[in-house]
Amino acid sequence: MDGQRCVVIGVGNEYRRDDGFGPAVVARLAELRAADPRLASVELRASDGEPTRLLDLWTGTDLAVVVDAVRDGADHGGHRYELVLDELAELADGVTSSHGVSLGSTVELGRALGRLPRRLVVLAVGAAEFGFGAGLSPEVAEAVDPVVARVRELVG
């Protein structure tokens, strides 16, 4: 995204199993940055998902990509979701963040305050293991590389 401000925000806690998905994607992107010119000017950030911190990270950006693990009610983890700003209402219908305040609520707060990015894309993975401990479940770990590839497409 030449000349445009872009941020990728990995939401989660790497010490709560699958909740570490967002930070794992951001860490992988950081590893690839030196070899991928598309990532050179992209801001890579981790967040605990607290609404005001998310607003601070994406305010004034042309593109914000939020990567998160969600509780989707499925019997298995690993299902990938891609939602854009107008579709975020779907997050409230059967797919919820693993954090206290839903991303949909944060978007509504951002809208009310005039603090939304020009374009917001959410890349999420369904997850089931949110207990204490490090390491992603195998199903969620398998989703890291495809989501990294999608982020590279979006910012390119």
Side-chain angles (χ1 to χ4, degrees):
M1 295 196 60
D2 293 336
Q4 297 186 8
R5 185 167 169 236
C6 176
V7 64
V8 177
I9 306 166
V11 176
N13 179 341
E14 62 188 326
Y15 300 108
R16 290 211 35 235
R17 303 281 300 158
D18 289 343
D19 196 38
F21 177 74
V25 168
V26 167
R28 181 73 177 123
L29 289 166
E31 291 170 4
L32 297 170
R33 182 185 297 231
D36 188 342
R38 295 174 292 186
L39 298 173
S41 64
V42 174
E43 296 175 42
L44 301 174
R45 302 284 186 248
S47 173
D48 61 4
E50 194 277 327
T52 59
R53 285 191 275 274
L54 284 175
L55 293 177
D56 286 344
L57 289 171
W58 73 38
T59 295
T61 61
D62 295 291
L63 171 65
V65 180
V66 175
V67 182
D68 197 5
V70 296
R71 298 178 193 271
D72 64 1
D75 294 333
H76 62 285
H79 182 83
R80 293 191 314 269
Y81 300 89
E82 180 170 336
L83 304 167
V84 295
L85 183 61
D86 293 337
E87 298 168 337
L88 288 175
E90 293 178 24
L91 277 178
D93 298 330
V95 178
T96 59
S97 174
S98 62
H99 314 284
V101 177
S102 75
L103 186 56
S105 296
T106 302
V107 168
E108 289 307 312
L109 177 61
R111 184 174 283 129
L113 297 174
R115 295 187 61 194
L116 289 177
R118 191 171 61 79
R119 181 172 181 223
L120 174 62
V121 178
V122 177
L123 301 176
V125 65
E129 296 184 30
F130 293 97
F132 293 108
L136 304 173
S137 65
E139 299 84 6
V140 172
E142 287 179 20
V144 171
D145 285 337
V147 170
V148 165
R150 181 63 182 134
V151 169
R152 293 166 83 183
E153 291 172 5
L154 288 167
V155 302

